[in-house]
Amino acid sequence: MKIIHSILICLFAVTSFAQIRKDSEKIKKEELLYSERTIDKLKHIVDSLNSSFLNCELTPTYYPIPQTIGTSIHYEAEDLSNIVNDLKNNISISELKAKYPSVDIQENTLLALSTPINKEDKKHSYHTLYTKYNFTISTETPIKKDTWYINEDDDSEGLLLVSEEDSDSLKYLSAFYYSNNSSKKLLPQKYAQMIAYTDCMIDTTTTKFKENATYTMMDVYLPKNWKSLSLKKQKKLLDEMRSNLVIGSCSMDESPNVQAKNIAILAAETNNWKIFLKAHLDILNDNFERVAWSNMAEAYRQTYIQELETLNINTIDLILGTVFLYDNPAKNHYFGNIYRLSRAISEAQKQQEFEREILEIIEDNELDTLNRLRFTYLYLNYISYLEDTSIKNKKQKEFLERINTSLPNYYDFIKKSIYNNNEV
C-alpha cells in the first residue's frame, strides 16, 4: 500500500509540476522570497555577525583530505581470484598488462581518502577515486588501516583494492597503486578563513530539522493568515515545520522545497538566523531527500542567491567556503553542491568577482590537488550555465588555454578530463 501511495503522490506531483514550471517562468530575478521589512531585520543580524567575525582572533587550522597521485586499474572477469592474488603480490604494471591484456590501466589519477564517519571505527573508510575520465568510485570497504592509509613518510607506497562487485556473471575490480612523495600540509590560511567565515555565518551547532524530527506526509504550506499570527504562534508553527521531515516522492515533488522555503520565511520573520540560513542554503543547493532525482525538475527550482546578496553577506567567501573538502570539518559544517553553486554564481551580481577568485584558487600551487580539481569543475559548470553562447565558448576556450600556459605543472589527468568533457 505504501508503494501505491507513493506512486499516486508522484503522479500528482508530475501533474502539479506543470503549473509550478509555468509559475517559475514568471518569477523575475528582482523578486525576493522575503519582504523588505524582513530583509532589513536580517541585515542587522548579518552586520552583527560580520563584526564578530572581524573581531575574532582565532586562527583556524584545517588539513586537506589525504590524497595522492597513482595508477588506477579496472578489470572485469568471471573470476577475479588470480588478478587479486597478483596485485597483492606486487605484480609490476608491465607484467600486469602482459598477463591480463584486457585490463584498463590509467596513470596519473588522483586518490583521495576521507576519514570514517565513525572515527573510532578503524576498519571502515570512504574512498573516492578521480580519474582522467572524470569517473568517480565511492565505496565503503572494510580494509585494515595499515593496508590503505597514505602515511606521512615521503617514500610510502602501497596498493588499495577499492571495489569488487558482482554484476550478473561478471565481477568488476578496481585497484590503485599509489606512491606518496609529499608531506601533509595545512590548507592555506586564505581558504581556512573562507571556511571559518562559512562556519561563522552558518551556525554549526544547529540543524534545520530538530534531532527528533520524524518523516511525515504533512501539509507543507503555511496557513493563509500566518502573517497575522502573533510572534509566539509563528515560532510554534516554525517548531512544527522543523519537527516533520518531508521526503519527495519523486524528483518533481516540490514538497521538500516548499517546506524549506516556509521554514526559511518563518525563521526570518521570527529572527531565527541559524535556521533561516540553513534552510535558504538548502533551497539554493536543492539539498533535499527525494526517492528519485531529475535534472529537468531541478532546472526549474530557483537558487535565490539574490536574497543572500541583498543581506550584505560576503557571498563569495560564504559560497566558496562550502566547496572545499578537508579532513577535520566542524560537526554540521555545510558542504555545498558544486552543480547548484555554479548555477547560483552564474546568476550572482558579483559574477566577475566570483570568477577572479575561483581562477586564483585553481592556479594556487599551495592548495591540494583535490580542491583545485573541485574548483575546476565549479568553474566549468559555471560557464555551462551562462546564457550567451558566444561568451560561454569564449570563456571555455580561454580557460583551457590558461590551463596549458599558466599551469604547466598541473597534473595531466585534470587537463585531459577537461578536454574530454566539455561540461563536467
Side-chain angles (χ1 to χ4, degrees):
M1 286 299 293
K2 287 184 178 179
I3 295 175
I4 295 173
H5 190 240
S6 297
I7 292 172
L8 289 174
I9 292 173
C10 195
L11 288 173
F12 174 77
V14 171
T15 304
S16 61
F17 183 72
Q19 183 60 45
I20 293 168
R21 174 176 171 175
K22 289 179 182 178
D23 292 342
S24 67
E25 289 171 346
K26 295 177 184 177
I27 294 176
K28 297 179 181 179
K29 286 187 177 180
E30 59 270 20
E31 292 180 351
L32 303 178
L33 272 178
Y34 317 107
S35 68
E36 187 175 339
R37 179 180 62 84
T38 301
I39 290 289
D40 286 339
K41 288 195 297 183
L42 292 172
K43 280 182 179 178
H44 288 298
I45 299 175
V46 172
D47 290 342
S48 176
L49 288 171
N50 279 332
S51 297
S52 298
F53 182 75
L54 290 174
N55 294 328
C56 180
E57 297 181 359
L58 293 176
T59 304
T61 299
Y62 303 112
Y63 292 94
I65 288 176
Q67 58 196 269
T68 188
I69 299 296
T71 300
S72 64
I73 299 157
H74 305 282
Y75 185 70
E76 60 181 60
E78 292 182 3
D79 183 6
L80 295 175
S81 57
N82 289 336
I83 191 171
V84 167
N85 287 332
D86 286 336
L87 288 170
K88 288 181 177 179
N89 289 321
N90 298 319
I91 187 173
S92 68
I93 295 296
S94 57
E95 291 173 326
L96 193 67
K97 288 179 179 178
K99 189 170 181 180
Y100 305 95
S102 63
V103 69
D104 181 13
I105 298 174
Q106 305 295 338
E107 297 181 297
N108 287 331
T109 60
L110 173 66
L111 176 70
L113 304 173
S114 64
T115 55
I117 289 181
N118 177 5
K119 295 194 176 185
E120 294 179 357
D121 184 358
K122 302 298 184 183
K123 294 183 179 179
H124 292 77
S125 180
Y126 282 99
H127 313 289
T128 304
L129 177 66
Y130 292 84
T131 79
K132 71 178 185 180
Y133 293 124
N134 189 26
F135 177 71
T136 303
I137 303 172
S138 294
T139 64
E140 186 180 13
T141 312
I143 305 175
K144 291 181 182 178
K145 184 174 181 179
D146 58 4
T147 65
W148 61 261
Y149 191 74
I150 303 171
N151 74 49
E152 298 175 19
D153 297 334
D154 287 345
D155 353 342
S156 66
E157 57 184 24
L159 167 73
L160 169 65
L161 295 176
V162 179
S163 64
E164 184 179 338
E165 300 177 356
D166 290 320
S167 178
D168 299 325
S169 61
L170 291 179
K171 293 181 180 179
Y172 298 82
L173 167 74
S174 294
F176 194 89
Y177 277 113
Y178 65 83
S179 176
N180 186 34
N181 53 16
S182 61
S183 59
K184 193 173 184 179
K185 56 184 179 181
L186 293 174
L187 205 64
Q189 189 62 29
K190 176 182 177 181
Y191 311 125
Q193 287 292 331
M194 284 184 177
I195 295 169
Y197 183 77
T198 297
D199 285 346
C200 174
M201 286 290 165
I202 313 169
D203 182 75
T204 57
T205 64
T206 309
T207 55
K208 184 179 75 178
F209 289 106
K210 298 172 73 172
E211 285 188 11
N212 59 349
T214 56
Y215 293 103
T216 181
M217 302 297 295
M218 71 173 287
D219 182 0
V220 295
Y221 292 91
L222 292 174
K224 291 182 179 180
N225 67 334
W226 74 268
K227 290 184 180 180
S228 62
L229 296 176
S230 66
L231 180 61
K232 183 178 180 180
K233 288 186 176 180
Q234 286 183 355
K235 288 182 177 179
K236 182 181 178 183
L237 191 56
L238 174 60
D239 188 74
E240 290 174 357
M241 283 272 183
R242 293 183 61 222
S243 300
N244 296 278
L245 203 163
V246 173
I247 296 181
S249 54
C250 65
S251 60
M252 294 183 182
D253 183 353
E254 291 293 289
S255 298
N257 189 274
V258 172
Q259 183 188 34
K261 286 180 183 178
N262 289 332
I263 287 176
I265 289 170
L266 284 171
E269 286 292 324
T270 57
N271 287 336
N272 193 330
W273 173 263
K274 296 176 181 180
I275 304 303
F276 159 75
L277 190 54
K278 284 184 179 291
H280 191 89
L281 285 172
D282 277 352
I283 298 166
L284 189 152
N285 284 278
D286 200 37
N287 181 28
F288 307 111
E289 289 191 57
R290 292 189 173 91
V291 176
W293 181 86
S294 161
N295 56 4
M296 180 191 76
E298 182 271 337
Y300 288 96
R301 290 191 269 269
Q302 306 298 309
T303 64
Y304 297 99
I305 192 173
Q306 290 82 15
E307 280 76 356
L308 298 182
E309 293 179 311
T310 303
L311 293 176
N312 299 328
I313 294 178
N314 181 344
T315 50
I316 294 178
D317 282 5
L318 179 78
I319 295 296
L320 299 188
T322 69
V323 176
F324 291 96
L325 287 183
Y326 55 104
D327 202 29
N328 53 328
K331 184 179 180 181
N332 300 322
H333 170 78
Y334 199 99
F335 289 101
N337 180 310
I338 283 181
Y339 303 102
R340 288 287 291 189
L341 293 178
S342 58
R343 176 181 165 188
I345 292 169
S346 74
E347 299 169 354
Q349 295 173 6
K350 295 184 177 180
Q351 192 180 109
Q352 300 305 314
E353 291 93 327
F354 267 110
E355 270 195 31
R356 284 195 293 271
E357 191 66 55
I358 293 170
L359 288 172
E360 285 182 14
I361 291 173
I362 293 170
E363 294 180 327
D364 190 345
N365 288 317
E366 295 301 311
L367 184 62
D368 62 284
T369 305
L370 175 60
N371 278 311
R372 294 174 77 180
L373 178 60
R374 283 177 63 79
F375 277 90
T376 298
Y377 290 169
L378 178 71
Y379 189 77
L380 286 171
N381 276 282
Y382 152 73
I383 293 173
S384 74
Y385 279 114
L386 298 177
E387 295 181 358
D388 190 313
T389 304
S390 60
I391 293 177
K392 182 188 299 187
N393 293 338
K394 181 174 180 289
K395 284 187 179 296
Q396 187 176 68
K397 182 180 178 182
E398 289 175 348
F399 182 63
L400 294 178
E401 290 174 351
R402 189 166 182 165
I403 288 288
N404 273 330
T405 56
S406 64
L407 300 178
N409 297 323
Y410 217 46
Y411 293 109
D412 287 341
F413 80 93
I414 295 180
K415 295 180 185 177
K416 291 175 182 177
S417 174
I418 296 170
Y419 280 121
N420 292 341
N421 299 272
N422 291 328
E423 294 183 12
V424 293

